[in-house]
Amino acid sequence: MSGRAQLMWDEAVTGYDFGPDHPMDPVRLELTRRLVEAFGLDREVDVVAAKPAGESTLRLVHRQDYIEAVKAASADPGSADGSYGLGTMDDPAFARMHEVSALIAGQSVGAAEAVWRGGVAHAVNFAGGLHHAMPGGASGFCVYNDAALAIARLLELGAERVAYVDVDVHHGDGVQAAFWEDPRVLTISLHEHPRTLFPQTGWPEETGADGAGEGSAVNVALPAGTGDAGWLRAFHAVVPELIADFRPQVLVTQHGADTHFEDPLAHLAVSLDAQRAVQVACHELAHEHAEGKWIALGGGGYAVVDVVPRSWTHLVGIAAGRPVEPEAMIPEGWRQQVFARTRQLAPARMTDGRWPVSFPSWEEGYDPADRLDQAVLATRRSAFPLRGLLA
């Protein structure tokens, strides 16, 4: 296995564009790529553009009738009427939607192939992580579910245990649905509570299909307003123990940046520094339990200048073995690019000023009256016994 990491990138992924008034502005991808470049991280990784996912690959997760609907809406966006989730406010149709969605999916599938075959240890596709797309429909800004397709490709190549950890503020419902009955895939999602956020799923009682799938899904539903200490406490109270028990051959992680306190679409209060801490933890878990095989994806994130580029540049640096220090000053050239491109002032440093972040360990005890601890307890009581672990 090569010690180098692979960054999946094709400039054409910025064509994933729902229009000027949509929160998922593709400038977030462009600015992230430029910030990676500004820190010289593109010289520390192999930058690779994989081919788009073909129909046979897309069918590993998606139904043929849905693929045909995406193609039709892509060729004639005005014909999309809301069926299959296309032509809605969340997922308006746009020209070449099929092609660019398949390209993003192809990057994640290519990442999976490279890591599984041992060409690289880690691979990052920050344009991916489109975790809401369902087998038969678009949902939540997601057309094709690249995360599920990457996992399905790993299974096709012979993987017997794949763990998926999703720390986006929204529940990773599409990936959970794709592997609801499959004990070879353990899906773990930490997200804002479904009572207060789309897609209103991800309750701790959602633990996989009865029978073989039982215990294959784990959900941590965090109270709105959860900040750094609570978010990190919940992650470390649930994820490491499950990963150690499952012993995945590959770890796939989704790093939506919309947990951030500046994100306009959700209600958690997590800093960039805590996001970086979880990225570091995922990297360590891959080395401890998956022989270093790690596929890291992007996801949500709608503070497109202040948060997303910094968060995912940290992710690339960690995967490359050249982590960017939180106190690092951001190169002035990138800040000038940001202003020229968006007329917004860019942040000056790679931190929110909260590094190093700390949190109280679960092993030190819990408070049954605390809302965060109640959320963690609900998850452990629902999911852990199904895996033979103590709640």
Side-chain angles (χ1 to χ4, degrees), residues 9-379:
W9 178 256
D10 187 317
E11 291 287 343
V13 298
T14 60
Y16 193 80
D17 188 352
F18 290 113
D21 299 321
H22 197 281
M24 188 178 258
D25 188 336
V27 74
R28 69 198 194 119
L29 303 179
E30 176 188 335
L31 293 179
T32 301
R33 179 66 179 90
R34 300 288 85 82
L35 188 55
V36 166
E37 194 174 82
F39 277 106
L41 295 174
D42 56 328
R43 298 190 296 273
E44 305 291 339
V45 297
D46 298 322
V47 181
V48 175
K51 63 183 181 180
E55 280 200 30
S56 62
T57 298
L58 293 174
R59 285 199 302 269
L60 292 174
V61 169
H62 295 290
R63 298 199 320 248
Q64 183 66 42
D65 59 320
Y66 173 57
I67 297 169
E68 294 301 328
V70 175
K71 285 184 173 181
S74 183
D76 180 12
S79 68
D81 60 3
S83 57
Y84 294 98
L86 301 169
T88 62
M89 285 185 65
D90 275 2
D91 297 279
F94 59 92
R96 295 187 57 78
M97 178 173 62
H98 165 75
E99 288 79 4
V100 71
S101 300
L103 179 64
I104 291 173
Q107 305 315 302
S108 293
V109 171
E113 291 171 347
V115 168
W116 180 254
R117 289 169 175 157
V120 294
H122 313 324
V124 179
N125 177 24
F126 58 73
L130 304 179
H131 60 169
H132 294 307
M134 292 290 177
S139 177
F141 314 163
C142 305
V143 178
Y144 292 139
N145 196 319
D146 65 284
L149 287 163
I151 295 168
R153 181 69 175 128
L154 288 167
L155 298 177
E156 190 178 49
L157 290 170
E160 297 174 349
R161 294 181 310 282
V162 180
Y164 173 74
V165 178
D166 189 319
V167 296
D168 193 289
V169 79
H170 302 92
H171 177 224
D173 57 340
V175 184
Q176 175 179 287
F179 303 106
W180 185 246
E181 300 177 355
D182 196 333
R184 296 174 297 174
V185 181
L186 174 64
T187 64
I188 309 171
S189 179
L190 285 82
H191 45 267
E192 184 179 328
H193 201 286
R195 271 196 295 262
T196 53
L197 195 67
F198 174 90
Q200 283 78 52
T201 58
W203 298 80
E205 295 79 14
E206 296 173 31
T207 54
D210 291 343
E214 198 170 49
S216 64
V218 180
N219 289 286
V220 187
L222 301 168
T226 297
D228 287 0
W231 194 62
L232 292 171
R233 175 173 168 80
F235 179 93
H236 286 280
V238 172
V239 178
E241 189 173 347
L242 289 167
I243 297 297
D245 172 71
F246 188 62
R247 297 177 299 108
Q249 293 162 294
V250 186
L251 179 63
V252 181
T253 58
Q254 196 268 21
H255 297 272
D258 43 9
T259 52
H260 196 272
F261 55 78
E262 287 186 10
D263 197 273
L265 298 190
H267 317 100
L268 295 191
V270 172
S271 72
L272 182 76
D273 300 297
Q275 292 177 348
R276 184 186 187 278
V278 160
Q279 294 166 4
V280 169
C282 289
H283 180 225
E284 292 173 349
L285 287 170
H287 280 283
E288 289 168 8
H289 304 294
E291 298 182 341
K293 290 183 169 65
W294 183 34
I295 299 156
L297 309 174
Y302 310 100
V304 299
V305 169
D306 284 350
V307 178
V308 174
R310 293 189 296 161
S311 187
W312 292 347
T313 297
H314 276 306
L315 181 64
V316 173
I318 290 161
R322 296 290 186 274
V324 177
E325 292 302 317
E327 295 294 336
M329 299 298 295
I330 292 176
E332 183 59 29
W334 183 79
R335 299 182 74 234
Q336 292 174 359
Q337 284 181 315
V338 168
F339 187 77
R341 183 71 174 79
T342 68
R343 288 297 184 263
Q344 294 185 45
L345 295 176
R349 294 192 300 165
M350 291 293 285
T351 177
D352 285 332
R354 299 186 182 180
W355 190 267
V357 289
S358 61
F359 62 93
S361 168
W362 188 257
E363 285 70 30
E364 296 172 5
Y366 59 85
D367 178 0
D370 180 82
R371 292 175 66 225
L372 186 282
D373 285 4
Q374 288 171 0
V376 172
L377 279 169
T379 297

